[in-house]
């Protein structure tokens, strides 16, 4: 049989990360508990080296390898760089928290890096089997991370919920994939796209498959009606893990949606567009309205995530290249904001004490004006108020929807952001106008302080000069999907 | 010479059906497990007839060899109270019957539908030199090497997760440290005391 060994160069970052991970597993064995800092530093180093490989190998062209299963295009490169940056911030923010809460162990770093590997695999997948395997790699690592605080019954419950629902979602997804395979005879995305475009596939089976696949995907993104796990997991998981769950996997979910719906099923755009409209409208409604009633800050942010994901879908459902670029901009902005919000909550926690209630944010301005200002930036950005990156994210998504001719949807989305602004502004009111119940000043390590500052500044600066990021998103999307 | 294939197939099929019924009607759980082993064996025989030797061997090695032995251990260790298990049989019978009926109807629909009519029926008998195992191996390690490696990584995560979630260092339990045992020297165990010889007092 004829077989040419696959070209490995496009996959160097993944291969390197896997090797570094395997080395970390061994290294962690010999590092004594009091020198655990080495494991942390090694993980950060591995991230930096993977990032260097990613940026250094970027060509701006589309490659595929492993017999067409692995796709390396500008979209994949930029999303992977964002994922790596977010991951590095997650590890940096959570270091102090982990030390205080007994999570400063090798497993935390091994599992988060495995999850990152799964995310990178999903971003580059060009074959449905690979996409599924990447998803499982991510889900399994995430589930173990949530349960890592073994003695906490809340965390165990959250992990159990996540596990059962993830298994259900995987089942739905596989069922949909089998339909797709039955109808088109292939799992390679380009071949599936060809089979659909040429009309040989049975449309009834395709649509049934599309429904179940999208249900599986919606779970990953955490949108209504598959959102029930989000608040419980956000609340129950250790905050360091919540920080991870709420940021990096969303990038993978975005890539998943784009690869599946845009790359493969673009001939069926009228079928999936209406489905996404329903899901997106419900997510914005349920997310924003329920968030108002929350007194727990992690639950509030969880519902806010649901509504943000509804906004993200708006960009995808517009079905245009501009819309996909807007959605990509939105996901990057969302990751920045979520990192800032949970980074601050991590900071407020003390030994054996987690910040849960909104009341814990009271009078933050008196305790630390700098952090209160950072949180202010995050909140106005989440609310979508001008001079913040969140404003431009919402603006670009909405203008894409307007171009697609769905004016009522734009009006609805704006109304929903107005409702959402209420609970974001309430946080600002609590921080600046209420008296603190605890007047001890906030102490944080230098790296946390600097990174929080950079994170807040990024929200502000990208809000004033968003053009470079918009250009990058446009470039990635047009180069990778423009022809399709 | 007559073709023995239908005869062998019927024999395997009958044994398979009988042992499958045996699994659910056996009163003794150990007997049920043994019936299941028999069912796997005959199933493997049927696969062998379809020239899927790799699947047949894997079924025997993995399921009969490993999974069922573990199962048998569990069944023997746990003292299952059978009478309590059988208590609700007639209460749940109607629901079970409805589910079974739906499954039968679905199977008939699936098997008789045109979507499946063309599947796997074009296979001519393969030449004698054809090896199913070799073909599978070639596919797995060439075209599918990337998913194969990813599956391996997922298994690695499963190991890490299982150990991270279940390993507890129990400080109070008594245990033997083999390394300390090996490193021990004669001097650590016996103290040779030199003392002057004593005369017998008598």
């Amino acid at each position: 049989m004829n077989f040419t060994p696959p070209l490995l160069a496009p996959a160097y970052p993944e291969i390197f990360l896997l090797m570094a991970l395997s080395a970390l597993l061994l290294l962690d064995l010999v590092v004594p508990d009091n020198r655990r800092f080495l494991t942390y530093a090694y993980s950060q180093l591995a991230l930096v080296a993977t990032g260097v490989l990613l940026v250094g190998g970027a060509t701006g062209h589309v490659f595929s390898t492993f017999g067409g299963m692995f796709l390396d295009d500008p979209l994949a490169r930029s999303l992977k760089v964002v994922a790596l940056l977010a991951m590095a911030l997650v590890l940096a923010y959570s270091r102090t928290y982990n030390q205080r809460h007994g999570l400063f162990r090798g497993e935390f770093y091994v599992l988060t890096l495995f999850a990152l590997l799964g995310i990178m695999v999903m971003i580059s997948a060009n074959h449905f089997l690979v996409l599924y395997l990447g998803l499982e790699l991510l889900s399994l690592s995430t589930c173990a991370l949530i349960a890592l605080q073994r003695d906490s019954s809340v965390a165990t419950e959250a992990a159990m919920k996540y596990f059962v629902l993830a298994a259900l979602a995987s089942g739905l997804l596989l069922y949909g994939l089998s339909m797709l395979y039955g109808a088109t005879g292939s799992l390679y995305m380009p071949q599936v796209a060809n089979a659909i475009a040429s009309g040989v596939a049975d449309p009834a089976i395709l649509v049934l498959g599309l429904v179940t696949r999208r249900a599986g995907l919606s779970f990953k993104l955490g949108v209504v009606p598959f959102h029930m796990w989000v608040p419980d997991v956000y609340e129950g998981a250790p905050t360091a893990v919540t920080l991870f769950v709420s940021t990096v996997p969303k990038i993978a979910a975005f890539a998943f949606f784009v690869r599946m719906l845009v790359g493969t099923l673009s001939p069926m755009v009228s079928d999936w567009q209406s489905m996404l409209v329903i899901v997106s409208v419900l997510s914005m409604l349920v997310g924003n309205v329920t968030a108002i009633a929350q007194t727990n800050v992690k639950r509030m942010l969880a519902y806010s995530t649901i509504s943000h994901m509804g906004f993200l879908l708006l960009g995808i459902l517009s079905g245009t290249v501009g819309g996909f670029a807007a959605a990509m901009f939105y996901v990057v902005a969302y990751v920045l904001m979520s990192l800032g919000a949970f980074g601050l909550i991590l900071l407020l926690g003390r030994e054996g004490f987690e910040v849960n209630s909104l009341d814990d944010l009271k009078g933050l301005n008196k305790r630390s004006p700098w952090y209160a200002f950072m949180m202010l930036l995050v909140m106005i950005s989440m609310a979508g108020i001008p001079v913040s990156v969140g404003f431009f994210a919402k603006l670009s998504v909405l203008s894409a929807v307007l171009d697609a001719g769905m004016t009522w949807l734009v009006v609805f989305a704006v109304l929903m952001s107005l409702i959402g602004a209420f609970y974001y502004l309430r946080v600002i009111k609590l921080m600046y106008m209420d008296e603190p119940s605890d007047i001890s000043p906030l102490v944080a390590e230098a790296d946390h302080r600097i990174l929080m500052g950079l994170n807040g500044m990024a929200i502000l600066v990208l809000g004033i000069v968003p053009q470079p990021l918009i250009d990058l998103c446009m470039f990635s999307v047009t180069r990778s999907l423009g022809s399709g | 010479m007559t073709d023995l294939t239908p005869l062998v197939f019927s024999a395997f099929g009958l044994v398979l059906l009988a042992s499958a019924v045996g699994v659910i009607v056996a009163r003794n759980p150990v007997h049920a497990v043994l019936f299941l082993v028999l069912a796997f064996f005959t199933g493997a025989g049927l696969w062998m007839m379809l020239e899927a030797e790799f699947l047949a061997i894997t079924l025997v090695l993995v399921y009969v060899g490993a999974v069922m032995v573990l199962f048998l251990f569990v069944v023997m260790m746990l003292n299952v109270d059978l009478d309590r298990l059988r208590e609700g049989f007639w209460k749940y019978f109607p629901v079970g019957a409805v589910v079974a009926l739906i499954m039968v109807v679905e199977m008939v629909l699936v098997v008789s539908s045109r979507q499946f009519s063309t599947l796997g029926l074009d296979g001519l008998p393969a030449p004698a030199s054809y090896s199913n195992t070799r073909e599978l191996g070639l596919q797995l390690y060439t075209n599918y090497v990337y998913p194969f490696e990813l599956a391996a990584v997922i298994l690695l995560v499963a190991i890490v997760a299982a150990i991270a979630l279940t390993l507890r260092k129990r400080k109070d339990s008594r245990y033997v440290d083999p390394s300390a045992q090996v490193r021990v020297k004669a001097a650590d165990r016996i103290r040779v005391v030199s003392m002057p010889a004593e005369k017998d007092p008598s």
Side-chain angles (χ1 to χ4, degrees):
Chain A
M1 89 173 266
N2 294 319
F3 174 71
T4 43
L7 193 66
L8 293 181
Y12 276 158
E14 279 84 357
I15 296 172
F16 173 79
L17 184 62
L18 178 59
M19 285 183 348
L21 252 171
S22 314
L24 174 61
L25 271 175
L26 293 177
L27 175 82
D28 190 55
L29 202 61
V30 291
V31 173
D33 270 341
N34 52 3
R35 306 282 292 280
R36 203 50 83 195
F37 186 77
L38 280 176
T39 310
Y40 165 75
Y42 176 91
S43 313
Q44 289 284 27
L45 212 62
L47 287 179
V48 170
T50 314
V52 168
L53 277 174
L54 259 177
V55 177
T59 54
H61 297 287
V62 181
F63 291 104
S64 73
T65 181
F66 289 113
M69 292 187 184
F70 183 97
L71 190 71
D72 175 29
D73 53 13
L75 178 67
R77 291 265 167 181
S78 355
L79 283 177
K80 280 179 201 169
V81 170
V82 175
L84 277 172
L85 277 177
M87 196 68 204
L89 273 180
V90 166
L91 291 189
Y93 284 164
S94 57
R95 184 170 62 88
T96 337
Y97 175 92
N98 284 349
Q99 281 166 335
R100 285 171 183 162
H101 290 81
L103 281 175
F104 205 51
R105 311 206 307 250
E107 290 89 2
F108 180 84
Y109 295 99
V110 170
L111 287 171
T112 43
L113 290 187
F114 266 126
L116 180 68
L117 184 66
I119 288 165
M120 290 170 70
V121 166
M122 279 169 75
I123 291 175
S124 268
N126 201 25
H127 184 271
F128 282 113
L129 181 60
V130 173
L131 197 59
Y132 173 71
L133 285 172
L135 180 69
E136 280 305 294
L137 187 55
L138 168 63
S139 305
L140 195 60
S141 323
T142 312
C143 188
L145 274 173
I146 296 171
L148 207 53
Q149 232 172 21
R150 220 169 20 190
D151 299 323
S152 150
S153 60
V154 203
T156 314
E157 188 195 330
M160 197 69 200
K161 275 180 186 154
Y162 186 84
F163 180 76
V164 172
L165 284 171
L168 185 71
S170 292
L172 282 172
L173 190 70
L174 280 181
Y175 188 60
L177 289 181
S178 71
M179 293 281 166
L180 197 67
Y181 184 65
T184 62
S186 176
L187 283 174
Y188 287 94
M189 292 183 190
Q191 291 180 17
V192 171
N194 284 341
I196 296 174
S198 63
V200 290
D202 186 338
I205 300 186
L206 281 179
V207 172
L208 178 61
L210 178 65
V211 171
T212 53
R213 257 193 327 277
R214 227 231 39 219
L217 266 181
S218 301
F219 167 81
K220 286 297 149 201
L221 206 55
V223 286
V224 180
F226 304 94
H227 66 289
M228 285 84 83
W229 64 276
V230 180
D232 291 333
V233 168
Y234 275 34
E235 188 191 4
T239 315
V241 179
T242 313
L243 172 70
F244 166 72
V245 174
S246 73
T247 51
V248 200
K250 305 293 180 204
I251 301 168
F254 166 73
F256 202 150
F257 258 96
V258 168
R259 294 260 182 253
M260 178 171 284
L261 297 181
V262 182
T264 315
L265 302 173
S266 43
M268 299 173 68
V269 67
S270 58
D271 289 312
W272 54 258
Q273 194 173 42
S274 46
M275 291 183 204
L276 288 191
V277 168
I278 300 172
V279 171
S280 158
V281 162
L282 281 177
S283 299
M284 285 188 283
L285 185 71
V286 172
N288 277 323
V289 172
T290 324
I292 293 175
Q294 303 303 318
T295 52
N296 182 314
V297 73
K298 281 158 91 179
R299 284 190 89 86
M300 188 201 90
L301 285 173
Y303 282 106
S304 127
T305 304
I306 295 173
S307 72
H308 279 298
M309 290 303 120
F311 256 99
L312 175 70
L313 287 183
L314 283 181
I316 296 178
L317 68 82
S318 68
T320 56
V321 170
F324 306 140
M328 186 176 164
F329 185 88
Y330 202 99
V331 85
V332 175
Y334 166 76
V335 166
L336 262 181
M337 298 184 292
S338 193
L339 277 170
F342 281 105
L344 192 96
I345 295 176
L346 276 176
L347 185 74
L348 290 173
R350 286 187 305 272
E351 195 94 32
F353 167 79
E354 298 221 21
V355 168
N356 280 325
S357 166
L358 273 173
D359 291 340
D360 294 329
L361 288 171
K362 268 187 186 167
L364 186 63
N365 186 37
K366 293 217 173 57
R367 294 172 64 196
S368 163
W370 175 242
Y371 287 118
F373 180 60
M374 288 300 128
M375 195 67 170
L376 170 81
L377 285 179
V378 170
M379 285 299 141
I380 63 169
S381 180
M382 283 201 168
I385 295 169
V387 210
S388 67
V389 70
F391 170 70
F392 277 99
K394 282 199 164 68
L395 186 70
S396 50
V397 163
L398 289 179
S399 66
V401 178
L402 204 59
D403 288 342
M406 285 177 276
T407 318
W408 68 272
L409 197 56
V410 175
V411 174
F412 179 81
V414 170
L415 273 178
M416 283 302 126
S417 349
L418 281 180
I419 296 179
F422 167 74
Y423 59 88
Y424 296 126
L425 293 178
R426 184 173 60 185
V427 171
I428 296 176
K429 179 214 158 230
L430 283 174
M431 287 190 307
Y432 279 90
M433 297 175 187
D434 287 13
E435 285 301 311
S437 50
D438 167 15
I439 45 160
S440 60
L442 276 179
V443 276
E445 309 232 344
D447 58 339
H448 202 141
R449 220 160 36 221
I450 295 167
L451 287 171
M452 267 310 279
L454 284 178
N455 194 334
M457 283 307 129
I459 291 175
L460 193 63
V461 169
L462 283 173
I464 298 167
V465 257
Q467 208 54 42
L469 185 57
I470 292 178
D471 287 345
L472 176 73
C473 294
M474 250 346 242
F475 169 77
S476 310
V477 172
T478 42
R479 273 296 173 88
S480 312
L481 305 166
S483 56
Chain B
M1 195 179 133
T2 52
D3 189 7
L4 284 178
T5 314
L7 199 67
V8 178
F9 176 81
S10 318
F12 272 128
L14 276 178
V15 175
L16 179 59
L17 280 180
S19 50
V21 172
V23 174
I24 43 177
V25 295
R27 283 198 79 85
N28 187 333
V30 177
H31 291 173
V33 171
L34 291 175
F35 269 124
L36 197 55
V37 170
L38 183 62
F40 279 144
F41 251 106
T42 42
L46 284 177
W47 266 343
M48 206 61 121
M49 289 180 67
L50 288 170
E51 299 183 3
E53 12 10 288
F54 181 74
L55 278 180
I57 294 167
T58 316
L59 185 71
V60 172
L61 281 183
V62 175
Y63 275 84
V64 178
V67 176
M68 291 319 290
V69 170
L70 213 66
F71 229 78
L72 209 53
F73 267 121
V74 173
V75 169
M76 285 174 173
M77 298 278 187
L78 298 177
N79 200 3
V80 185
D81 186 357
L82 280 175
D83 291 325
R84 253 196 50 221
L85 271 181
R86 280 164 198 276
E87 235 168 38
F89 181 78
W90 288 110
K91 208 172 95 195
Y92 296 118
F93 182 75
V95 183
V98 169
V99 171
L101 193 72
I102 292 174
M103 279 169 74
V104 168
V105 172
E106 278 177 345
M107 269 190 189
V108 169
L109 281 177
V110 163
V111 172
S112 62
S113 88
R114 67 189 167 83
Q115 296 293 344
F116 284 82
S117 58
T118 54
L119 282 185
L121 295 177
D122 53 343
L124 297 166
S129 62
Y130 178 84
S131 164
N132 184 276
T133 315
R134 192 185 135 78
E135 292 301 317
L136 268 176
L138 278 178
Q139 283 293 325
L140 212 54
Y141 289 100
T142 57
N143 293 340
Y144 285 87
V145 68
Y146 183 48
F148 181 72
E149 289 296 325
L150 284 178
V153 174
I154 292 180
L155 286 180
L156 183 60
V157 173
I159 298 175
V160 172
I163 294 175
L165 295 183
T166 53
L167 180 71
R168 279 173 199 273
K169 286 209 182 89
R170 293 186 49 177
K171 297 224 167 54
D172 54 337
S173 66
R174 293 169 187 280
Y175 63 97
V176 182
D177 184 358
S179 136
Q181 281 182 321
V182 173
R183 274 185 281 129
V184 82
K185 294 199 177 56
D188 302 335
R189 290 278 161 87
I190 330 165
R191 193 160 54 99
V192 183
V193 185
S194 85
M195 50 191 292
E198 286 179 29
K199 252 186 195 164
D200 198 342
S202 62

